[in-house]
């Protein structure tokens, strides 16, 4: 059974930092891209960042470039999202996803999400 389990969310003041983690299990994710999405309150889900286990290009949404960093530890099957200089508009449920196909919004597996709240 494939599982993506996020952790690390919480309440932080604007300007602060959080590190989200995603533990992947249940299958071999070779060839998959791991992604972070978020869904702000009352808004549509949006892509945040993606990375491949095997290396290669890393992609970020424009609104997080320079502030967020995605990384992956293949041996531990962990994906991370380091979030710095947080803003109130970063408040959202953050989801980890795994995709075997192209396309920014594509995914095969989805985690349960972790809440990030940034107070201004």
């Amino acid at each position: 059974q494939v599982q993506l389990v996020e952790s690390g969310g919480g309440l932080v003041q604007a300007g602060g930092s959080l590190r989200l983690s995603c533990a992947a299990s249940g299958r071999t994710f070779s060839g998959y891209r791991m992604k972070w999405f978020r869904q702000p309150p009352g808004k549509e889900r949006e892509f945040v960042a993606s990375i491949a286990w095997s290396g290669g290009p890393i992609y970020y949404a424009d609104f997080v470039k320079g502030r967020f960093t995605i990384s992956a530890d293949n041996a531990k099957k962990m994906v991370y999202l380091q979030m710095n200089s947080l803003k109130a508009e970063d408040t959202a449920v953050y989801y980890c996803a795994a995709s075997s196909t192209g396309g920014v919004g594509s995914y095969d597996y989805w985690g349960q999400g972790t809440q990030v709240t940034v107070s201004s």
Side-chain angles (χ1 to χ4, degrees):
Q1 180 183 359
V2 173
Q3 279 194 311
L4 300 175
V5 180
E6 303 96 334
S7 61
L11 174 64
V12 64
Q13 288 188 332
S17 298
L18 279 176
R19 188 195 195 204
L20 304 184
S21 299
C22 172
S25 63
R27 66 157 297 142
T28 299
F29 287 95
S30 175
Y32 279 69
R33 287 196 72 83
M34 300 302 294
K35 302 179 178 180
W36 287 98
F37 291 87
R38 71 184 189 185
Q39 187 163 17
K43 296 185 179 180
E44 297 290 316
R45 182 182 65 218
E46 56 191 9
F47 168 81
V48 175
S50 72
I51 189 170
W53 291 110
S54 56
I58 292 174
Y59 299 107
Y60 294 99
D62 287 342
F63 53 76
V64 302
K65 283 182 180 177
R67 299 189 299 125
F68 291 10
T69 302
I70 189 171
S71 61
D73 185 329
N74 203 343
K76 295 181 179 179
K77 290 292 183 285
M78 295 291 294
V79 182
Y80 305 99
L81 186 68
Q82 177 66 43
M83 306 187 295
N84 298 328
S85 302
L86 283 163
K87 307 174 182 179
E89 51 264 43
D90 293 320
T91 294
V93 178
Y94 284 72
Y95 298 92
C96 176
S99 175
S100 61
T101 60
V104 171
S106 66
Y107 64 91
D108 297 288
Y109 305 104
W110 197 253
Q112 84 288 348
T114 186
Q115 176 71 47
V116 171
T117 302
V118 184
S119 63
S120 57

